[in-house]
Amino acid sequence: VADFFNVRMRSSAGPSIAGESIHLSGGERLVPDGDARDAARELLDRAFKAGMSPDQIHITMERVPSGKIRHIPCLPVTTVDCPSPGSARAVAERVLARAGIDSAAISTAFDHIRSGFDGCGSVLRGAMLLDIRTGKRDCGTHGAGIRASRFDYSPGTIDMLAGVLDAAGLGHYRTREALALATKVLASGVVAELCWSDDPTYDAGYVSSAVDGYVRFPHFKPAGAVGGRVFFFDSDLCSAESLATRLKSDAFLIDGPLTVRTLSGFEAFVEPRTQR
Ligand code: PML
Ligand code: MG
């Protein structure tokens, strides 16, 4: 069996001194070694995409023996068609509450993705870790955030999964990549996640948990919000440090099946998930 390569890219603008550069784009792949150069080239194209003017681009490629990789099923996707960011937030709060997240931690999380790191309007490169009970935060070294890496769809199922998403009108690379990331972070011990994009032109977002899977909202981000990610964790089950290590180093390939459904609003969402 061939080895795999984890290929990571991040780009930024401004001085490279820690904390002062602005995150522009990033990406993450785990591919058979024969595909590693193509994956790196695609991520480099993303860094130089129209409108981007990066001052630094970091590409890291790391061999991952296939024996170290675990296969996990993809989270099921539910789109909840809420008409406004406010109604989407109400559903998202409900999803997070039934995953066991304390309401104070939920509002800290929304403050973070709305107003940025410590309210100063800047986007963390990675996610903020937030304790589900104490609300204690971990923002990584120099406030760079916590990064998840070493995950991808498995080579045998990536076309099928992308096809299912395409057929459901979810063909955007941001959806495909966020679904893979959300699947990985829950498998590594995160209790739930909250995310909307830092791309000002993209206002979809999601919450995820083991109970409800990947619950996406086409219009989640309120006007002017900066964007970002929060991983909720339970400090009774693991320390922030060990979780951060697992998020970086546990290697996962994601398999099918993938179920995708659309519900229209809160009432439909709280019904038992029997019918599709
Ligand atoms: C990002 O920009 O990377 C996050 C996108 C979150 C929403 C993805 C989706 O479901 O469309
Ligand atoms: Mg981004």
Side-chain angles (χ1 to χ4, degrees):
V1 195
D3 281 345
F4 280 67
F5 264 92
N6 178 209
V7 186
R8 306 192 287 269
M9 182 280 288
R10 63 186 166 83
S11 75
S12 57
S16 60
I17 304 155
E20 285 189 18
S21 60
I22 297 162
H23 166 77
L24 290 179
S25 68
E28 181 70 41
R29 300 297 310 276
L30 182 61
V31 295
D33 55 9
D35 297 336
R37 276 178 292 184
D38 284 346
R41 229 170 271 130
E42 282 166 22
L43 289 172
L44 201 51
D45 288 345
R46 175 180 302 181
F48 280 114
K49 179 175 81 181
M52 296 282 188
S53 182
D55 292 313
Q56 295 94 33
I57 301 167
H58 296 266
I59 300 238
T60 306
M61 300 175 72
E62 224 175 2
R63 182 182 295 277
V64 180
S66 49
K68 290 223 177 328
I69 303 177
R70 274 196 288 152
H71 283 256
I72 50 172
C74 194
L75 289 177
V77 175
T78 302
T79 295
V80 185
D81 251 334
C82 294
S84 66
S87 56
R89 176 168 173 163
V91 177
E93 286 180 347
R94 166 103 200 196
V95 170
L96 292 171
R98 78 174 161 200
I101 318 301
D102 184 86
S103 65
I106 295 174
S107 60
T108 302
F110 273 99
D111 288 349
H112 172 65
I113 65 173
R114 196 184 51 227
S115 308
F117 184 46
D118 282 340
C120 66
S122 76
V123 184
L124 278 186
R125 197 161 73 214
M128 174 192 277
L129 275 187
L130 194 57
D131 190 292
I132 62 171
R133 273 182 295 265
T134 66
K136 188 175 174 290
R137 309 173 323 162
D138 188 314
C139 299
T141 315
H142 305 301
I146 304 298
R147 180 132 181 197
S149 52
R150 298 194 180 172
F151 64 90
D152 209 327
Y153 298 104
S154 65
T157 46
I158 188 165
D159 291 342
M160 183 277 285
L161 294 179
V164 171
L165 289 171
D166 278 353
L170 302 175
H172 200 288
Y173 77 89
R174 289 189 184 281
T175 310
R176 199 168 55 242
E177 293 182 2
L179 176 60
L181 181 142
T183 300
K184 186 222 155 122
V185 305
L186 291 190
S188 291
V190 165
V191 176
E193 183 189 349
L194 168 68
C195 169
W196 61 51
S197 186
D198 54 8
D199 175 347
T201 67
Y202 195 86
D203 61 358
Y206 65 93
V207 283
S208 64
S209 72
V211 185
D212 288 305
Y214 185 96
V215 181
R216 77 183 294 275
F217 307 98
H219 308 290
F220 196 19
K221 183 167 59 177
V226 296
R229 283 201 150 83
V230 176
F231 299 151
F232 296 94
F233 78 108
D234 184 344
S235 55
D236 282 357
L237 300 179
C238 60
S239 69
E241 296 70 34
S242 67
L243 180 58
T245 302
R246 294 186 59 185
L247 286 167
K248 253 200 328 219
S249 54
D250 286 356
F252 291 113
L253 284 171
I254 299 164
D255 292 326
L258 170 58
T259 62
V260 178
R261 61 176 187 162
T262 299
L263 299 175
S264 53
F266 184 67
E267 292 313 321
F269 185 74
V270 295
E271 273 166 25
R273 4 179 17 177
T274 42
Q275 78 280 48
R276 266 217 50 190

